Amino acid sequence: MLKINDLKIFADDRQILSVPELHLPSRTSGLLTGGNRSGRSLLLRAIHGEYRSIDGEILVKDESIRSRKVKRKTILIQPEIHLLEKKSVRDNLCIPLPKLTPRQNERVEQLSQIVGIDGLLDTPVGRLSYSEKIMFEMIRAVVQLPFAILIDDLDVFFDKEQYGKVMQMLRVAVDGGTAILATAKSKLDEFDRYFQIEQRILREESA
């Protein structure tokens, strides 16, 4: 569950984004659209606890993002790859966890099959394409079933066919209780709720 109330985001000593209210329950996916330099990436970083030039309230599972525990509750996926190139995909999937449980191993196999890359689990990450690396970052996030998965610039990662498979994979996280908040420059299909930044204010679009 994600709750934001009366949030203001600043950059270079000026306010660039106002979020009067954003509530995203567990088991819900939301898409935030906005142009370049609209503040959408900074908002995700703020929710994750990485960006501190803010004023207002952000709660993840009813706990303030100022708590040290919040990073354990959110996973942020950005265009930059965060995988060890010389390690296998399977080894990279284990990095945030002491050891994959049998249930998590089953989920890795399930998610890899959904996106059609189950034959690459023992391949060194450096041999994969950019979109395959991002897919495995998403698999690693979904396996952990955090309270929220934050995905920046979702529209730049995949072609139309890959996008459908990725959304099917993310639905596994939603069904497991995770809230998904992604950003994009333009509207994408298959999300439960939509938000838009216009004139530096974030508002939810009516159904």
Side-chain angles (χ1 to χ4, degrees), residues 10-11 15 37 61 77 83 85 112 146 185 191 201:
F10 300 90
Q15 182 180 321
R37 304 182 68 83
K61 203 67 174 181
I77 298 172
L83 297 171
E85 296 281 304
S112 299
K185 291 180 182 177
F191 283 85
I201 300 175

Side-chain angles (χ1 to χ4, degrees), residues 10 20 24 27 32 34 42-44 67-68 86 90 94 113 119 140-141 146-147 155 164-165 167 175 180 205:
F10 300 90
L24 194 64
R27 301 179 184 273
L32 168 61
L42 290 182
L43 175 59
L44 294 193
S67 168
R68 293 181 180 179
K86 294 183 179 180
R90 199 183 299 273
C94 295
Q113 289 173 9
R140 184 166 65 181
F147 291 137
D155 51 344
K165 294 177 180 178
M167 292 306 297
D175 291 344
I180 305 283
E205 295 183 17

Side-chain angles (χ1 to χ4, degrees), residues 112-148:
S112 299
Q113 289 173 9
I114 286 174
V115 295
I117 49 179
D118 47 306
L120 299 176
L121 289 173
D122 295 310
T123 301
V125 164
R127 297 182 186 175
L128 304 181
S129 68
Y130 176 79
S131 61
E132 288 170 340
K133 292 175 184 178
I134 291 291
M135 280 184 180
F136 279 118
E137 285 213 21
M138 291 186 179
I139 289 173
R140 184 166 65 181
V142 173
V143 165
Q144 297 176 67
L145 288 180
F147 291 137

